[in-house]
Amino acid sequence: MFLKELNLSNFRNYKECRLNFFKNKTIFVGKNAQGKTNLLESIYYLSTLSSIRASNDNELILKGQEVAKISCVVNKYDTDIKLDVILNPPKKKVIKVNTLKKTRYSNFIGNLAIINFCINDLLLLRGNPSDRRKWIDDAIGQLYPAYRDRLSRYNKIRLQRSNLIKEYKGKASLNYYQQDFISVWNDQFIIAGSNLVHLRQKFLKEIQARAMEKHKHISYGDELLCIKYNSSVAGDFNCLEDNVQPPGLIAELFEQNIKKKQKEELIRGQTLIGPHRDDISFFINDLEARQYASQGQQRTVVLALKLAELDFVENIIHDNPLLLLDDVLAELDKFRQQYLLDSLKKNTQTIITTVDVEKFDSDYLKDVDLYTVEAGTVRR
Ligand SMILES: Nc1ncnc2c1ncn2[C@@H]1O[C@H](COP(=O)(O)OP(=O)(O)OP(=O)(O)O)[C@@H](O)[C@H]1O
Ligand SMILES: [Mg+2]
């Protein structure tokens, strides 16, 4: 696929911005705080309907304005698709595909597939569990668009259930009606959550196989990467050795664990179990990378993960997703930089931001569209 046009209005520090892409390689260069990441963020939003960094849509709107618009034209299998997003919080965002309004996110997501790799990702292993969950949730959401709908349904149920637990906080035991009420919520919570855990296991199993190979290559065959999905619902899932559990089995485990936790949940007045509390850990030759790996080793893991994601997405959609590299290429040493660039298919559209174009290999700069970004304006 190829991103042909990007149009922004009142998005972040852009009043108006119209961009056309011509080549497979685009570089946005500019000093700090000029709007380079904001451009990639808008593309990320058109792909996932979620921001890379903002916790709410208000942050995405140019200060002093109320409505922001992001749109693009993407060419897929020789057909142009127009995507529009209108942000006008607290109203629900308006999303359109080829000018037709869509009510479900799943009817929008999947039109523009991207892999985003930014400097923060280099800290993925050391970051918060929520960063790692966001990584897989956004990635799975692109592959199985219904995942986003399920995730938001799960979060709604979780909120309702949490409110109930808060209301019952401090009770040593519940009466018949209260127990019945909570059981109704538990049933829905379990169905919604088990599916998420199942799809996460499935995704990580695919990533494991691919990332391990890439990781072996970058580490000269010395190191074995193993991913573990640590679930409060279904226990630890070793992506190398374990088989993906069917949703029914996960639901049974969820039910058992939720019963075990009920007392503690009531004491603390909090939901203590569910995929929203799960995490992912990475092991190199059986040692947990977060604690034991050097900075270079951690970067290698992240690079292998991102390339595995790229490979997996390509395989599923039978097309090349866009690759967004925010500041990251210059952070990799020559060998890793070259490995990443060599791993790209010839027609993978790559959009890169950097403060310093000098750091790029002169070979790479040969057939590149170079833009300068300065205070919310982009010049070719
Ligand atoms: N909602 C908003 N309204 C107006 N300006 C905003 C808004 N959100 C962010 N900005 C501004 O956008 C700029 C940051 O843009 P961005 O993160 O894209 O910078 P960058 O060019 O990637 O910089 P760096 O090289 O440091 O990563 C900041 O100056 C910030 O104040
Ligand atoms: Mg930036």
Side-chain angles (χ1 to χ4, degrees), residues 256-268:
Q256 286 166 19
N257 286 322
I258 223 167
K259 276 189 188 138
K260 279 189 210 154
K261 282 268 179 220
Q262 178 165 315
K263 215 170 173 179
E264 197 186 339
E265 288 196 319
L266 290 174
I267 293 169
R268 292 171 54 180

Side-chain angles (χ1 to χ4, degrees), residues 32-33 35-38 53 326-327 353:
N32 295 132
K36 303 182 297 296
T37 299
N38 293 346
R53 46 190 180 167
D326 191 12
D327 248 352
T353 72

Side-chain angles (χ1 to χ4, degrees), residues 10-14 28-41 53 57-65 119 326-327 353-355 373-376:
N10 293 336
F11 181 83
R12 291 279 195 190
N13 66 336
Y14 290 90
F28 291 110
V29 60
K31 294 190 186 126
N32 295 132
Q34 300 305 309
K36 303 182 297 296
T37 299
N38 293 346
L39 287 174
L40 299 193
E41 187 178 31
R53 46 190 180 167
D57 287 344
N58 275 307
E59 288 173 44
L60 303 176
I61 300 169
L62 179 69
K63 281 272 164 299
Q65 299 293 323
I119 241 173
D326 191 12
D327 248 352
T353 72
T354 184
V355 278
V373 181
E374 203 178 341

Side-chain angles (χ1 to χ4, degrees), residues 309-321 345 348:
E309 192 186 337
L310 184 70
D311 199 47
F312 184 38
V313 174
E314 272 170 6
N315 234 285
I316 295 261
I317 66 170
H318 304 292
D319 198 353
N320 299 324
K345 297 246 165 69
T348 300

